[in-house]
């Protein structure tokens, strides 16, 4: 197994797909996706375009759908939800499909949607993602950070490092054997330094500061937790993730 970490979807190689692609958008799309599915949501369908989201979701009965839209960290007007995982309680999402479009995470998912296996990962469901990799042993794995509007983000890189670090601990592979590019080694180093203060790292991150200005401190606290949800969001059809 070889791991490759890409800090943004734009940095992934063109014309190639890995055996397994893992999208990370810790603050907050993949944290929200994992939470929705853990809370009994039927599925999460992702869109980069808001108008397309509205058109597709209109085909679903109102009682079976929820629309979540976020731009610049704030909720899109007219949508039931923004991008806060804390709003995705069982009472709200159970049995319903979430149609979601966010600034960064949904774009990353669409970049690798043609891979044979597509997962959504956050710190809160890291263990489930690592277990999948241990069970399936894909030959090539891309971990794709969503970043922020095409730039590096600390929170996605530390999550990628958390996955790689745990995989090395639980498998027969050393970090050197797992690493397909230098980014893997640097991400593991970042996680090793901050693993006991992930919330502190989020406070250093530019998007963490952006969310703090939007009074989303509780979201940061929630998303900084590790291995609290035993849920694996996996793509079942293009753009549609369900719990395995």
């Amino acid at each position: 197994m070889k791991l490759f970490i890409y800090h943004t979807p734009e940095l992934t190689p063109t014309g190639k797909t890995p055996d397994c692609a893992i999208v990370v958008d810790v603050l907050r799309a993949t944290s929200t996706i994992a939470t929705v599915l853990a809370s009994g949501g039927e599925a999460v369908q992702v869109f980069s375009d808001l108008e397309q989201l509205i058109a597709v979701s209109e085909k679903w009965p109102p009682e079976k759908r929820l629309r979540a839209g976020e731009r610049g960290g704030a909720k899109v007007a007219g949508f039931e939800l923004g991008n806060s995982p804390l709003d995705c309680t069982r009472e709200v999402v159970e049995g319903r499909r979430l149609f979601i479009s966010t600034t960064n995470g949904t774009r990353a998912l669409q970049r690798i949607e043609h891979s044979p296996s597509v997962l959504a990962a956050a710190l809160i469901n890291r263990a489930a993602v690592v277990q999948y990799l241990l069970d399936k042993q894909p030959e090539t794995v891309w971990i794709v950070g969503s970043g922020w509007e095409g730039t590096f983000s600390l929170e996605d890189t530390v999550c990628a490092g958390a996955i790689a670090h745990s995989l090395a601990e639980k498998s027969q592979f050393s970090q050197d054997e797992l690493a397909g590019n230098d980014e893997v080694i640097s991400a593991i180093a970042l996680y090793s330094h901050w693993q006991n203060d992930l919330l502190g790292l989020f406070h250093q991150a530019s998007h963490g500061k952006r969310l703090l200005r939007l009074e989303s401190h509780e979201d940061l606290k929630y998303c900084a937790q590790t291995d609290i949800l035993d849920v694996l969001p996996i793509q079942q059809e293009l753009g549609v993730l369900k719990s395995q």
Side-chain angles (χ1 to χ4, degrees), residues 98-233:
L98 185 76
F99 297 85
I100 186 170
S101 180
T102 70
T103 306
N104 303 293
T106 49
R107 191 181 79 255
L109 278 161
Q110 290 193 322
R111 166 63 187 90
I112 48 75
E113 66 184 2
H114 293 289
S115 302
S117 177
V118 175
L119 313 176
L123 289 164
I124 56 176
N125 72 323
R126 176 196 54 173
V129 172
V130 170
Q131 191 58 53
Y132 177 89
L133 296 177
L134 292 171
D135 292 343
K136 301 296 184 183
Q137 294 286 320
E139 190 171 330
T140 56
V141 179
W142 291 3
I143 305 177
V144 182
S146 299
W148 178 261
E149 297 182 343
T151 61
F152 173 93
S153 72
L154 283 169
E155 67 275 5
D156 291 345
T157 303
V158 82
C159 181
I163 293 168
H165 182 274
S166 179
L167 191 60
E169 277 192 335
K170 296 176 184 295
S171 72
Q172 73 275 24
F173 302 110
S174 67
Q175 291 183 13
D176 182 55
E177 290 169 326
L178 280 173
N181 60 4
D182 288 356
E183 287 88 337
V184 174
I185 302 301
S186 65
I188 291 173
L190 181 68
Y191 173 71
S192 297
H193 183 78
W194 286 96
Q195 60 182 309
N196 296 318
D197 187 20
L198 292 168
L199 181 59
L201 177 66
F202 287 6
H203 281 251
Q204 300 287 325
S206 60
H207 192 40
K209 293 176 181 177
R210 191 176 294 112
L211 290 172
L212 287 172
R213 289 194 295 271
L214 293 168
E215 299 183 352
S216 296
H217 184 254
E218 292 303 315
D219 276 8
L220 293 191
K221 286 170 63 177
Y222 176 79
C223 295
Q225 298 175 97
T226 308
D227 305 335
I228 62 167
L229 297 182
D230 185 20
V231 63
L232 183 70

Side-chain angles (χ1 to χ4, degrees), residues 27-96:
L27 297 176
R28 297 163 285 174
T30 53
S31 297
T32 296
I33 290 168
T35 302
V36 167
L37 295 177
S39 299
E42 181 266 336
V44 178
Q45 190 162 350
V46 302
F47 298 85
S48 56
D49 182 77
L50 289 170
E51 291 185 3
Q52 185 187 18
L53 182 158
I54 292 169
V56 173
S57 63
E58 279 293 324
K59 299 172 185 175
W60 284 68
E63 69 275 10
K64 290 292 184 182
R65 71 174 187 232
L66 285 167
R67 292 168 175 159
E70 171 265 324
R71 290 294 183 269
K75 182 166 94 64
V76 174
F79 281 52
E80 290 96 345
L81 299 171
N83 192 22
S84 172
L86 297 180
D87 292 337
C88 300
T89 62
R90 184 167 294 275
E91 292 75 20
V92 172
V93 305
E94 189 168 26
R96 305 172 85 174

